[in-house]
Amino acid sequence: MTDTIPHWLSKQADLSPSHPAIELDDGTIVTFSELKESSQRFARKLTHLGVEKGSHVGILSTNQIPMLIAIHALSYLGAVGVLLNTRLTNEELNYQLKDANVSFLLTSVLLKEQASMLDVEITQSFFDIEALPEKETPLETEINLEAVFTIIYTSGTTGFPKGVVHTYGNHWWSAVGSALNLGLQKHDKWLIPLPIFHVSGLSTSIKSVIYGMPIYLLEKFDTKTVHNALMEKQITIVSVVTMMVQRLLDELSKASYPKELRCLLLGGGPAPKALLERAKEKNVPVFQSYGMTETASQIVTLSPMDALEKLGSAGKPLFPARLKIENQADAQVGEIFVKGPMVTTGYYNNKSANEKSIQEGWLATGDLGYLDEEGYLYVVDRRNDLIISGGENIYPSEIEGVLSGMKQIKEAGVTGRKDETWGQVPVAFIVKGMEVSMEEIKAYLQTRLAKYKQPKEFYFVKELPRNAANKLVRNRLIQELNK
Amino acid sequence: MTDTIPHWLSKQADLSPSHPAIELDDGTIVTFSELKESSQRFARKLTHLGVEKGSHVGILSTNQIPMLIAIHALSYLGAVGVLLNTRLTNEELNYQLKDANVSFLLTSVLLKEQASMLDVEITQSFFDIEALPEKETPLETEINLEAVFTIIYTSGTTGFPKGVVHTYGNHWWSAVGSALNLGLQKHDKWLIPLPIFHVSGLSTSIKSVIYGMPIYLLEKFDTKTVHNALMEKQITIVSVVTMMVQRLLDELSKASYPKELRCLLLGGGPAPKALLERAKEKNVPVFQSYGMTETASQIVTLSPMDALEKLGSAGKPLFPARLKIENQADAQVGEIFVKGPMVTTGYYNNKSANEKSIQEGWLATGDLGYLDEEGYLYVVDRRNDLIISGGENIYPSEIEGVLSGMKQIKEAGVTGRKDETWGQVPVAFIVKGMEVSMEEIKAYLQTRLAKYKQPKEFYFVKELPRNAANKLVRNRLIQELNK
């Protein structure tokens, strides 16, 4: 019954043809009608290249209009977009490209040179594609909600990045759940300062199409640019991470935002209570939320009505999502499980991860939390030692895996250290097998780990703290240091 | 994937326990938590009576809180509610009760006496049920979107009323489509002056639960009461039919509504252009819409952005509904077909009607209309001679069928005549077989047809206008009169 809907961009272009879909800082405006036309044209050019239904197409780009056009073009062809983090090293990218069976790579002009060194059959810039002739081809007029639309990689606890599969239905229900939670106003305009290759940016650009709402798209977060946009561009909602709220509050000084700004949707890890209180003092409407790539953006949000009373909570699960706490570590805290039509159907081509994490639709998040007596979620700890640095997720096990790959290193333990600017930064504890210098290690990591994942400090130790079962106890690493 | 959601009332009671769900004119407020508790209690009492999963339970009531509690109680038991029009005669009600296999009838205290004369095994008032003990029983915690929730009868073109089946999914998607169209604001409060036994009132009371939005429930439409509520009760949306807009505009005189009132959602047939212009002059935000029982409320709405430019149009199909015009009568006008997850899966136990009206999800509405060059729907004529009188649908063929059942009448033709107050009223053209007086006919109809369906005028004629195929041409009846 609910399997098929009209193609969402075509539908919105029909409902609101001349309404802005994308707005840039330089005043550029793309309407829904123009976005549809450009995406369909782009799709016909991609066909010329050989992209077809079911093709896996990598997208390596910072936020820009051609990137969005390329993503929508894929939906018109029934192709799957694999969204790649531009901050990764080529080695990391190659792993994802191979794992996701990517045979075409689309990239921005600026990244073309880097991209052409990757292991993909065909690499073209958006600009290259624009120059191709169009090939007459039947475009999708409907969307099957159960079909796969995008894949985004996340490292998880295993150390090996896993491709999170998003169906059209995941994105659709995420948009609906978010609207039922945050409301939907005629003049809504959502600012995206976060990368579209992450689920937060991607999901907002899809909400835009489903709601008929303009997004205000920035290439990256810059405090002054975002501040000015919030002040002058009638922004009503903005997606942020903790570090951004901090900087925006500093910038705000004694002024206050226009009343149109109704929501700073805060994702990417628990926020310090002091920050939330500072926002409250300044009447800045920060909404705490909880979500992950696997939930196609926020799945728990603190509703406007509760925002003041439940400071520090991530709120309640969106309609129609569910949440439970299981495998309790103590009387209260346990592992957070979520279920709902916005939750991924699984990791790409990864049976063991799927069996481990998803049962009867319930996703084991690996995160720890508890519910208070009124059912509000408090996230105590992100999944097993996850480090969140400026909104990027960093998995200690992934870095440890790379470090252990260096022959001079016997074993390594990585953990997060608090950092004023980034929230957390990774630091490494190393047990040498042979003599090795810090500089050699840094050089080794250079090509193997994205910059944001590279440990900011290295400590050489005799042994790593382990528990009775000989399992590394990461939260004791820092304590060891202070002994 | 999208088949099962948490029970919507339990979910909303969890999200917004102390938020008002229902508000009455006398100041009574029922919160979502109270509504859930009362409905669950009521469900356990119904169990005592023998109601169980799959039971068909008739509901015969004017708008009141116990009626809503009863409806939600059915959803906790997985029982099906058959909503009955209180204006029908016992004969008409018996037809529907039998056709829908109703074995339990719930009614208001005031209607109990009338109801107990109907052909149903068990008839109880809401009050009777309240007095029963609760029986421990497992209540539904989830809702299967494909399960049947309600049945509402509509006569259609055949003359025999047909039971329109609504799944939970029909109601869910209607609510979502409406929110994507009208938006969803924190302070929304929707006034219901239309009966809940019609789809318009019912769907709004379900939207209330899905949105977490209070409804302002009136037992019936009364101009002064509605006017005062719009003026003083922070209503943001109100469902209306043409006659109500007329009266409200008269009442409004030189004043204007508070700016909170953002939408008068106008259903029940095309509105006179003069009325829409008058509303526009007074800055009253009338939204034209198009829908029917089969579409679980409005499926086409003129969006706020287009309201002024496209006066007279019903707008565009809601996300994610579709619409097409087929079987064109001339170059432009044809039959309106609609498709989408809010469209009924079919008529209850009525294979021939289903085969005739629904193909591959497309519902043939029988209504005539056209799309302008920008895709806006203009409804030219409601389904084959449908008469809309004060928001109630009247099917000429049904009245003709009853009239023809009187042995003195050879044949009859019924059509609508314009009426200042009601929009239209039915008038009958009768060819006698034997001598019969107007009084005798009126007496005959008294017990067989609801008052609003009884023709307001009778004309005795020698023959009825028929076309070449000997089919009655109803739109020539009035012309015949003027000859």
Side-chain angles (χ1 to χ4, degrees):
Chain A
M1 176 187 81
T2 54
D3 288 352
T4 308
I5 60 172
H7 190 287
W8 49 37
L9 179 52
S10 299
K11 176 75 181 176
Q12 197 56 259
D14 183 35
L15 289 174
S16 332
S18 54
H19 198 62
I22 310 173
E23 205 179 316
L24 298 189
D25 209 37
D26 66 4
T28 303
I29 284 179
V30 180
T31 66
F32 282 105
S33 170
E34 289 162 353
L35 184 59
K36 181 195 87 168
E37 294 299 330
S38 305
S39 302
Q40 292 193 334
R41 211 160 37 232
F42 200 90
R44 284 190 288 262
K45 293 173 182 219
L46 281 177
T47 304
H48 200 83
L49 205 70
V51 176
E52 56 184 18
K53 196 176 182 97
S55 296
H56 282 203
V57 180
I59 308 262
L60 180 70
S61 175
T62 52
N63 290 1
Q64 49 182 273
I65 291 171
M67 181 193 195
L68 287 174
I69 290 173
I71 292 172
H72 291 302
L74 296 181
S75 70
Y76 277 113
L77 295 172
V80 175
V82 179
L83 302 188
L84 302 159
N85 187 331
T86 57
R87 293 169 194 153
L88 300 184
T89 65
N90 281 3
E91 194 162 316
E92 292 169 311
L93 288 170
N94 277 332
Y95 179 87
Q96 299 186 8
L97 290 167
K98 189 179 172 199
D99 189 68
N101 297 317
V102 169
S103 39
F104 302 91
L105 179 61
L106 302 178
T107 186
S108 61
V109 175
L110 282 178
L111 295 173
K112 173 91 188 277
E113 204 179 315
Q114 183 205 339
S116 56
M117 292 164 67
L118 294 166
D119 302 336
V120 188
E121 265 174 67
I122 299 174
T123 300
Q124 300 268 288
S125 73
F126 305 130
F127 193 76
D128 297 334
I129 305 291
E130 285 295 355
L132 293 175
E134 296 179 44
K135 189 168 163 186
E136 218 31 69
T137 185
L139 299 178
E140 302 285 340
T141 58
E142 298 190 335
I143 280 176
N144 180 338
L145 293 180
E146 305 205 338
V148 175
F149 182 24
T150 53
I151 297 177
I152 296 181
Y153 274 76
T154 173
S155 290
T157 52
T158 59
F160 287 105
K162 296 175 289 185
V164 177
V165 168
H166 293 125
T167 61
Y168 287 92
N170 291 148
H171 288 300
W172 167 267
W173 285 89
S174 167
V176 168
S178 180
L180 290 176
N181 174 244
L182 298 179
L184 197 55
Q185 302 191 354
K186 198 176 160 184
H187 298 295
D188 272 337
K189 190 192 291 183
W190 197 316
L191 189 150
I192 308 187
L194 298 164
I196 287 170
F197 57 70
H198 280 336
V199 79
S200 152
L202 175 66
S203 67
T204 306
S205 66
I206 294 171
K207 287 182 182 101
S208 152
V209 170
I210 294 172
Y211 301 166
M213 167 192 78
I215 49 175
Y216 193 90
L217 185 68
L218 297 180
E219 191 176 2
K220 60 178 193 319
F221 178 82
D222 168 82
T223 310
K224 281 220 181 331
T225 310
V226 173
H227 176 83
N228 291 341
L230 296 182
M231 283 304 204
E232 292 159 19
K233 302 293 184 177
Q234 295 84 46
I235 308 295
T236 61
I237 308 181
V238 53
S239 302
V240 287
V241 297
T242 302
M243 172 270 287
M244 298 176 184
V245 178
Q246 254 150 357
R247 296 189 180 177
L248 286 171
L249 287 179
D250 291 346
E251 186 72 26
L252 195 59
S253 70
K254 280 172 194 162
S256 60
Y257 290 127
K259 68 175 182 351
E260 286 81 21
L261 180 65
R262 64 189 185 87
C263 171
L264 281 76
L265 188 62
L266 175 59
K273 206 157 182 174
L275 180 70
L276 296 173
E277 275 161 3
R278 213 172 129 220
K280 186 177 155 183
E281 265 168 39
K282 293 199 171 194
N283 271 321
V284 175
V286 172
F287 288 42
Q288 277 246 79
S289 74
Y290 169 72
M292 62 210 77
T293 308
E294 286 87 338
T295 59
S297 81
Q298 86 275 19
I299 189 168
V300 178
T301 309
L302 195 62
S303 87
M305 289 179 270
D306 308 317
L308 300 180
E309 281 177 39
K310 296 284 181 177
L311 217 60
S313 163
K316 292 184 172 181
L318 305 190
F319 223 118
R322 275 173 278 194
L323 189 149
K324 63 181 180 183
I325 303 290
E326 292 211 340
N327 308 333
Q328 248 116 327
D330 58 35
Q332 203 181 22
V333 175
E335 185 175 5
I336 302 169
F337 283 72
V338 291
K339 181 177 180 171
M342 62 284 273
V343 175
T344 179
T345 50
Y347 302 103
Y348 181 69
N349 213 0
N350 197 333
K351 203 173 160 209
S352 70
N354 290 333
E355 280 171 0
K356 196 178 155 210
S357 303
I358 304 172
Q359 265 155 29
E360 289 172 26
W362 285 100
L363 173 82
T365 65
D367 295 332
L368 297 178
Y370 67 91
L371 300 173
D372 71 7
E373 63 287 351
E374 295 180 277
Y376 288 83
L377 174 69
Y378 289 78
V379 180
V380 173
D381 223 346
R382 286 309 291 259
R383 60 177 86 180
N384 314 325
D385 316 308
L386 174 64
I387 301 165
I388 303 182
S389 187
E392 289 281 1
N393 289 353
I394 303 174
Y395 296 87
S397 55
E398 185 186 357
I399 306 176
E400 289 161 5
V402 173
L403 283 167
S404 311
M406 195 178 181
K407 67 177 190 298
Q408 299 93 325
I409 291 179
K410 188 178 162 199
E411 54 178 5
V414 173
T415 189
R417 204 206 56 201
K418 278 195 185 163
D419 182 88
E420 282 267 316
T421 307
W422 303 106
Q424 287 182 292
V425 292
V427 298
F429 295 76
I430 287 166
V431 181
K432 297 181 193 174
M434 286 179 254
E435 198 40 47
V436 63
S437 72
M438 215 177 284
E439 284 61 42
E440 284 171 301
I441 299 177
K442 284 183 181 172
Y444 178 83
L445 296 181
Q446 208 61 38
T447 60
R448 291 176 172 84
L449 277 181
K451 190 141 193 291
Y452 68 89
K453 296 182 192 170
Q454 293 169 20
K456 300 295 162 283
E457 291 160 15
F458 294 87
Y459 300 100
F460 295 111
V461 292
K462 288 219 173 86
E463 56 175 14
L464 298 175
R466 297 190 175 275
N467 66 12
N470 208 32
K471 207 179 159 230
L472 177 63
V473 186
R474 292 201 187 87
N475 61 19
R476 268 180 43 210
L477 284 170
I478 291 274
Q479 297 166 26
E480 294 291 306
L481 199 67
N482 300 332
K483 266 188 188 169
Chain B
M1 176 184 82
T2 55
D3 288 352
T4 307
I5 61 172
H7 190 287
W8 50 37
L9 179 51
S10 298
K11 175 76 181 176
Q12 197 55 259
D14 183 37
L15 288 174
S16 334
S18 54
H19 198 62
I22 310 174
E23 204 178 316
L24 298 189
D25 210 36
D26 65 5
T28 303
I29 284 179
V30 180
T31 66
F32 281 105
S33 169
E34 289 162 352
L35 184 59
K36 182 195 87 168
E37 294 298 332
S38 305
S39 302
Q40 292 193 334
R41 212 159 38 231
F42 200 89
R44 284 190 288 263
K45 293 174 181 217
L46 281 177
T47 304
H48 200 82
L49 205 70
V51 176
E52 56 184 18
K53 194 175 183 99
S55 297
H56 281 202
V57 180
I59 307 261
L60 181 70
S61 175
T62 52
N63 290 0
Q64 50 182 273
I65 291 170
M67 181 192 195
L68 287 174
I69 289 174
I71 293 171
H72 291 302
L74 296 181
S75 70
Y76 277 114
L77 296 172
V80 175
V82 180
L83 302 188
L84 301 160
N85 188 331
T86 57
R87 293 168 193 154
L88 300 184
T89 65
N90 282 2
E91 194 160 315
E92 292 169 310
L93 288 170
N94 278 331
Y95 178 88
Q96 298 187 9
L97 291 167
K98 190 179 171 200
D99 190 68
N101 296 319
V102 169
S103 39
F104 302 91
L105 180 59
L106 302 179
T107 186
S108 62
V109 175
L110 281 177
L111 294 173
K112 173 92 188 278
E113 203 179 315
Q114 184 206 338
S116 56
M117 292 164 66
L118 295 167
D119 302 336
V120 187
E121 266 174 68
I122 299 174
T123 299
Q124 301 268 289
S125 72
F126 304 130
F127 193 76
D128 298 333
I129 305 290
E130 285 294 357
L132 292 175
E134 296 179 44
K135 188 169 163 185
E136 218 31 68
T137 185
L139 300 177
E140 301 285 340
T141 58
E142 298 190 336
I143 281 176
N144 180 337
L145 292 180
E146 304 205 337
V148 175
F149 182 25
T150 54
I151 297 177
I152 296 181
Y153 274 76
T154 174
S155 290
T157 52
T158 59
F160 287 105
K162 297 174 288 185
V164 177
V165 168
H166 293 124
T167 61
Y168 287 92
N170 291 147
H171 289 299
W172 167 266
W173 285 88
S174 167
V176 168
S178 180
L180 290 175
N181 175 244
L182 298 179
L184 197 56
Q185 301 190 354
K186 197 176 160 185
H187 298 295
D188 271 338
K189 190 192 291 183
W190 198 316
L191 189 149
I192 308 186
L194 297 165
I196 286 169
F197 57 71
H198 279 337
V199 78
S200 152
L202 175 66
S203 67
T204 307
S205 65
I206 294 171
K207 287 182 182 102
S208 152
V209 170
I210 295 171
Y211 301 166
M213 166 192 79
I215 49 174
Y216 193 91
L217 185 68
L218 296 180
E219 191 175 3
K220 60 178 194 321
F221 178 83
D222 169 82
T223 311
K224 281 220 180 332
T225 310
V226 173
H227 176 83
N228 291 341
L230 296 182
M231 284 303 204
E232 293 159 18
K233 304 291 184 177
Q234 294 85 46
I235 309 295
T236 60
I237 308 180
V238 53
S239 302
V240 287
V241 297
T242 302
M243 171 271 286
M244 299 177 184
V245 179
Q246 254 150 358
R247 295 190 181 177
L248 287 171
L249 286 178
D250 291 346
E251 186 71 28
L252 195 59
S253 71
K254 279 171 193 163
S256 61
Y257 290 127
K259 67 176 182 351
E260 287 81 22
L261 181 65
R262 65 187 184 89
C263 171
L264 281 77
L265 187 63
L266 175 60
K273 206 158 181 174
L275 180 70
L276 296 173
E277 274 161 1
R278 213 172 128 220
K280 186 176 154 182
E281 265 167 39
K282 293 199 172 195
N283 271 321
V284 175
V286 172
F287 288 42
Q288 276 247 80
S289 74
Y290 169 71
M292 61 211 77
T293 308
E294 286 86 339
T295 58
S297 83
Q298 87 274 18
I299 189 168
V300 178
T301 309
L302 195 61
S303 86
M305 289 179 269
D306 307 318
L308 301 180
E309 280 176 40
K310 295 284 181 177
L311 218 59
S313 163
K316 292 185 172 181
L318 305 190
F319 224 118
R322 275 171 279 194
L323 189 150
K324 63 181 179 182
I325 304 290
E326 292 212 340
N327 309 333
Q328 248 116 327
D330 58 34
Q332 202 180 23
V333 175
E335 186 176 4
I336 302 170
F337 284 71
V338 291
K339 181 177 181 172
M342 61 285 272
V343 175
T344 178
T345 50
Y347 301 103
Y348 180 68
N349 212 0
N350 197 333
K351 203 174 159 207
S352 71
N354 290 334
E355 279 170 0
K356 197 178 154 208
S357 303
I358 305 172
Q359 264 155 29
E360 290 173 23
W362 284 100
L363 173 81
T365 66
D367 295 332
L368 297 178
Y370 66 92
L371 299 174
D372 72 7
E373 63 288 351
E374 294 180 277
Y376 288 83
L377 174 69
Y378 289 77
V379 180
V380 173
D381 223 345
R382 285 309 291 257
R383 59 178 85 181
N384 315 324
D385 316 308
L386 174 63
I387 301 164
I388 302 183
S389 187
E392 288 281 2
N393 289 353
I394 303 175
Y395 295 86
S397 55
E398 186 187 355
I399 306 177
E400 289 161 3
V402 174
L403 283 167
S404 310
M406 195 178 182
K407 67 177 191 298
Q408 299 94 324
I409 292 178
K410 189 178 160 198
E411 53 178 6
V414 172
T415 189
R417 203 205 57 202
K418 277 193 187 164
D419 182 88
E420 281 267 316
T421 308
W422 304 107
Q424 287 182 293
V425 291
V427 298
F429 294 76
I430 287 166
V431 181
K432 296 181 195 177
M434 286 179 254
E435 196 41 47
V436 64
S437 72
M438 214 177 285
E439 284 60 42
E440 286 171 300
I441 299 178
K442 284 183 180 169
Y444 178 84
L445 295 182
Q446 208 61 38
T447 61
R448 292 177 171 85
L449 277 182
K451 191 141 193 289
Y452 69 90
K453 296 181 191 170
Q454 293 170 20
K456 300 296 162 282
E457 292 160 15
F458 294 87
Y459 300 100
F460 294 110
V461 292
K462 286 218 174 89
E463 56 174 15
L464 299 174
R466 296 191 176 273
N467 66 13
N470 207 32
K471 209 180 157 225
L472 177 63
V473 186
R474 293 201 187 86
N475 61 17
R476 268 180 43 210
L477 283 170
I478 292 274
Q479 298 165 24
E480 293 291 307
L481 199 66
N482 299 332
K483 264 188 189 167

